[in-house]
Amino acid sequence: MTMWRRTYLLLLLVRIYLALSPSYIHPDENFQGPEIIAGQIFGYPNLKTWEFTSSRPVRSVFPLWPVYGLPMLVLQWVWTETGKEAVAPRLVYYALRLLMFILSFVLEDWAIHELVHSPRERRIAVVLVASSYVTWTYQTHTFSNAVETLVVLWSIVMIQRILDNKHRSSLLSSALLGSLVAFGVCNRITIPAFLLPPGLYLLPHFLRKPFSLLVLGTTFILTSILGIVVDTIFYHPSSPEPLFQILRSDLTITPLNSLLYNTSASNLSLHGLHPPYQHLIASLPLLLGPALLLFWYIRKPSLSIISALSATVLLSLIPHQEPRFLLPAVPLILSSVRLPSSGVLKRYWFISWIIFNAILGVLMGIYHQGGVVPAQLWLGQQRPHDSGLSKVFWWRTYSPPVWLLGGKELLTVDLMGMKVEEMMDRVSGATEGYKGGDPTSVGLVAPKSSVDLDAWIEKTKGVMVFEQLWTTGNHLNLDDLDLEADGIVGTLERVVGRRGLVIWKVSRIPEV
């Protein structure tokens, strides 16, 4: 077994380990996918965010069904066949993570093999992509950006196949490309930024082989119609009108709604506005780290690098920018560069690359909000008389996925980053009164790094009782950083040294 193959297999183990670690990178990985479909299939109580509840919904459920719905339906069928009542949310959660790992391992790595023709350059490209923390974490989470990455890669593969086959119409590749683009637009409207410039290379081919363009357009239109029908049915669940009447008069075209929403500066200001150089000075360095230095060693202009660079430029024109919006650019860039020819430079670069990805891999793959999912799963497994809780407040954490509670009747109240005084009023007020002759108890989930909570617990001794029900140390709350107040050392001691998440049972001491 060669060194490259051993390295790849080792990196594969790292990828599957982090795929099955319950870190929580961004709320969208739950609330724009599994949260919605789990409610549809299993009937779990779920929380629909504004993207799905506005009068003009901006999220399509069409891509969610094949990616998340199909494996959930398979699990439900297997569970029914074995005579069990319901699929546990824990099993569904880890099955989806395993699925995302498989999709990354099979489709992403296969696409790199297709795009890089030289065996030597292909080995380097595959290992670079496989050693990126982005592949270990973002790509194995249930992000629409992770799905977009796969669609972008395989769309470019199809474009490359059409260009390489100059003497034939490449009808199959054209048909697949049309369906992929339509599916990708339903998934995220940013995908044209990645595909439009490479797609321009197909114009001479379509002039020679117009039937290819007809096939591509046909599959694009048919897939788009399917997506519109699925979305229209989803967003009109209780309409008394017949389906054909709804399709005639009240179509739900979510990509169009999303485009209109995201072209409004006032709408984007609600999510945060960024300067046009945000992707260049923040997003790309965060995603690529030392690999940015390899821009000096790009092999030659290719569809991959054209796609990555054009998307970076075009998406920089949009005022709201997040690093994950450039997720498809990571494998495209890493598969387009060479390593330094100098042995010394190569050695130092490898050291910096390993350190960068090890740190970010551990942070984003294990610790980043890593207690939220296990805490919610634990709460969902508790019987009412075990915990005595019917309401749980979450404070200074990401929004907990409601579907992970399964069918448990437990009210989840997300206080987000509410000021400590307001949080204390809400929790304290909820403990007033009695339930069945006993003082009312509520749950409070909060990070250990919140020293304000320590002061409250100490201050209310003799009045309130704080019982620790559950805790984990695999939780870092980066939103709790306060360098101005604590300084660098103080912040690290508090946020890192006191990392963890706690579920408290809060109740009042009965007055005598």
Side-chain angles (χ1 to χ4, degrees), residues 124-202:
I124 295 172
V126 168
V127 169
L128 283 179
V129 173
S131 61
S132 169
Y133 87 93
V134 173
T135 305
W136 303 341
T137 57
Y138 284 91
Q139 203 59 40
T140 58
H141 285 225
T142 49
F143 280 114
S144 62
N145 311 88
V147 176
E148 182 183 35
T149 299
L150 300 178
V151 175
V152 167
L153 286 172
W154 277 96
S155 296
I156 294 177
V157 169
M158 293 302 116
I159 293 173
Q160 189 64 61
R161 286 182 179 179
I162 294 171
L163 293 175
D164 289 344
N165 198 353
K166 299 182 183 299
H167 302 294
R168 295 188 179 181
S169 297
S170 301
L171 298 183
L172 178 59
S173 297
S174 299
L176 290 174
L177 179 59
S179 292
L180 280 170
V181 173
F183 182 87
V185 170
C186 289
N187 179 63
R188 290 191 65 84
I189 59 164
T190 52
I191 200 168
F194 290 92
L195 297 182
L196 185 58
L200 294 177
Y201 284 83
L202 291 176

Side-chain angles (χ1 to χ4, degrees), residues 67-116:
V67 179
Y68 310 124
L70 184 59
M72 287 186 189
L73 287 171
V74 171
L75 281 175
Q76 186 183 49
W77 176 77
V78 170
W79 237 238
T80 303
E81 290 297 311
T82 55
K84 298 180 180 179
E85 293 183 359
V87 184
R90 179 183 297 272
L91 177 62
V92 178
Y93 175 82
Y94 284 107
L96 291 180
R97 281 292 189 87
L98 184 61
L99 171 69
M100 296 305 292
F101 161 77
I102 293 172
L103 290 177
S104 170
F105 165 52
V106 175
L107 296 181
E108 185 177 12
D109 294 9
W110 183 8
I112 301 301
H113 276 81
E114 291 273 347
L115 292 172
V116 184

Side-chain angles (χ1 to χ4, degrees), residues 457-483:
I457 293 173
E458 186 65 29
K459 182 180 178 180
T460 56
K461 277 185 177 179
V463 179
M464 303 184 71
V465 177
F466 289 79
E467 179 186 352
Q468 183 174 301
L469 299 179
W470 179 92
T471 186
T472 180
N474 288 353
H475 182 94
L476 269 177
N477 182 26
L478 296 184
D479 293 336
D480 202 19
L481 298 175
D482 193 347
L483 297 176

Side-chain angles (χ1 to χ4, degrees), residues 39-56:
Q40 292 288 304
I41 294 177
F42 301 115
Y44 294 156
N46 63 341
L47 174 64
K48 292 180 180 178
T49 54
W50 67 270
E51 294 101 327
F52 298 93
T53 58
S54 65
S55 58
R56 292 181 177 273

Side-chain angles (χ1 to χ4, degrees), residues 480-491:
D480 202 19
L481 298 175
D482 193 347
L483 297 176
E484 184 177 347
D486 300 335
I488 296 177
V489 175
T491 298

